Amino acid sequence: MSIEVPTADVKLNPLKTRPTVIAIDGTSASGKSTTSRQVARALGFVYVDTGAMYRTLAWHSLQQKVDVHDEKQVAALCRKWKTSLECADNEVHLLVNGYYPALEIRTAETSAAVPHVAAVPKVREWMKKKQRECIQFGNLVMEGRDIGTNVFPETDFKFYLDAALDERSKRRAAEGVQENLAARDQRDSQRAAAPLMIALGAKVINNSGMTVAQTSKMVLDEVQSRLAAALVQR
Ligand code: DC
C-alpha cells in the first residue's frame, strides 16, 4: 500500500540563523513516528526518534548485564558510555560501539526495560544533551515525550499527538504488539523526571479516525501558518 506523502512549500528559517526544530510529542501509538517521518521527508529535515535513543540505552544495559531497576547502575553505565551520533539517510541514531541495534531495540525484552531506564533523572539529563547535539545535522523533526517541554522548549514549532485509547490499542495490535497502553501512558505521565505533558504553545492534534497523511498535513499547515505569523511580527 502506498502512502501519499504531503508535499510542503514551507520556507523555514528564512534568516538562516540556527537550525529549526519541529518537536512532536504525544502518547504511545498516537502516530508520532510515521507522522514525524513524513513531515521530515516533506520538508527535507532530519528525523530523530528519541524513543529509539532510550531503547538503545536499554538494550545496551541488558547487554552489559546492568540491572535496569537500579538507577545508580544505569546512570553509571550512561556516564561511561562512549557512544556517538550518526546521521544516515536523514535519520539520527545513537551507536553502541559503532553499531545501531535497529531490530534489537524493538524486542519485547527491550520494550519492558526501557521505561525504567527512561525514568532515571541522570539518564534524562544525558539524553537531553545528546538530543540537543543533533542540531549539528541541520533542521530537525524530533519526536518523543518531552521534546517541546524539556529538550527544545525554545522552539516555536511544538505538537502534541493523541488518539482515543481503543484506537491506539488497535493500531498496536495491527503491528502485532499487545500492550497495556493505559499503563504505559500513566508511567510516562507520572514519572518525576520530564513527564509527558502538553508543552505550552503546542498544537494538540487528536488524530482518532484520521490517516497519517491527514495528520502530517495538519502539522505542515500549522508550521506554515506559525512561520507566516512570525514573519508578520518581525
Ligand atoms: O516512543 P517509544 O515507544 O519508542 O519510547 C520508548 C520509551 O522511551 C517509552 O517508555 C517512553 C520513553 N521516552 C521518553 O521517556 N522520552 C522520550 N523523549 C522518548 C521516549
Side-chain angles (χ1 to χ4, degrees):
M1 189 184 72
S2 71
I3 300 173
E4 195 187 325
V5 179
T7 53
D9 179 22
V10 182
K11 298 256 179 307
L12 286 155
N13 199 3
L15 303 175
K16 300 249 181 306
T17 44
R18 61 199 138 82
T20 298
V21 177
I22 298 177
I24 302 191
D25 292 306
T27 50
S28 296
S30 60
K32 293 188 301 294
S33 301
T34 34
T35 303
S36 300
R37 272 210 173 84
Q38 281 199 0
V39 169
R41 208 178 323 143
L43 296 172
F45 279 26
V46 169
Y47 166 63
V48 189
D49 174 358
T50 60
M53 296 171 86
Y54 285 99
R55 285 171 179 272
T56 301
L57 176 61
W59 178 74
H60 182 44
S61 305
L62 295 172
Q63 292 292 107
Q64 296 298 311
K65 309 273 181 265
V66 161
D67 177 0
V68 294
H69 299 92
D70 183 333
E71 280 199 14
K72 283 201 178 131
Q73 279 191 40
V74 175
L77 178 74
C78 199
R79 206 170 44 242
K80 284 187 305 197
W81 192 8
K82 300 258 183 299
T83 184
S84 54
L85 290 166
E86 75 158 11
C87 183
D89 295 329
N90 272 351
E91 283 195 29
V92 177
H93 301 139
L94 202 52
L95 303 182
V96 180
N97 295 326
Y99 173 64
Y100 177 54
L103 296 179
E104 296 89 331
I105 62 172
R106 304 290 163 190
T107 64
E109 197 192 5
T110 308
S111 298
V114 66
H116 304 291
V117 165
V120 176
K122 289 276 181 222
V123 165
R124 298 210 72 91
E125 263 175 48
W126 188 94
M127 284 288 178
K128 177 174 174 175
K129 195 163 160 279
K130 282 283 158 216
Q131 288 159 8
R132 287 189 67 90
E133 284 173 18
C134 291
I135 56 165
Q136 68 186 282
F137 301 114
N139 298 325
L140 306 176
V141 176
M142 184 175 282
E143 66 144 306
R145 303 293 193 290
D146 64 336
I147 311 308
T149 51
N150 180 46
V151 180
F152 283 104
E154 70 274 31
T155 183
D156 290 329
F157 305 101
K158 296 178 190 171
F159 295 87
Y160 184 93
L161 303 192
D162 201 358
L165 182 60
D166 62 334
E167 179 156 341
R168 292 190 289 119
S169 301
K170 277 188 207 143
R171 290 176 188 169
R172 271 287 188 268
E175 292 164 2
V177 182
Q178 294 297 336
E179 199 181 359
N180 185 339
L181 289 179
R184 177 104 100 99
D185 291 346
Q186 196 175 19
R187 258 198 320 262
D188 285 342
S189 309
Q190 293 187 349
R191 67 166 171 248
L196 172 65
M197 281 191 301
I198 300 175
L200 201 67
K203 163 88 174 168
V204 178
I205 300 175
N206 185 320
N207 57 28
S208 301
M210 283 167 59
T211 64
V212 176
Q214 286 168 331
T215 309
S216 302
K217 184 168 184 318
M218 274 185 88
V219 171
L220 289 166
D221 287 350
E222 182 69 17
V223 167
Q224 192 143 30
S225 79
R226 288 188 181 202
L227 192 72
L231 287 174
V232 165
Q233 275 172 17
R234 286 186 52 82

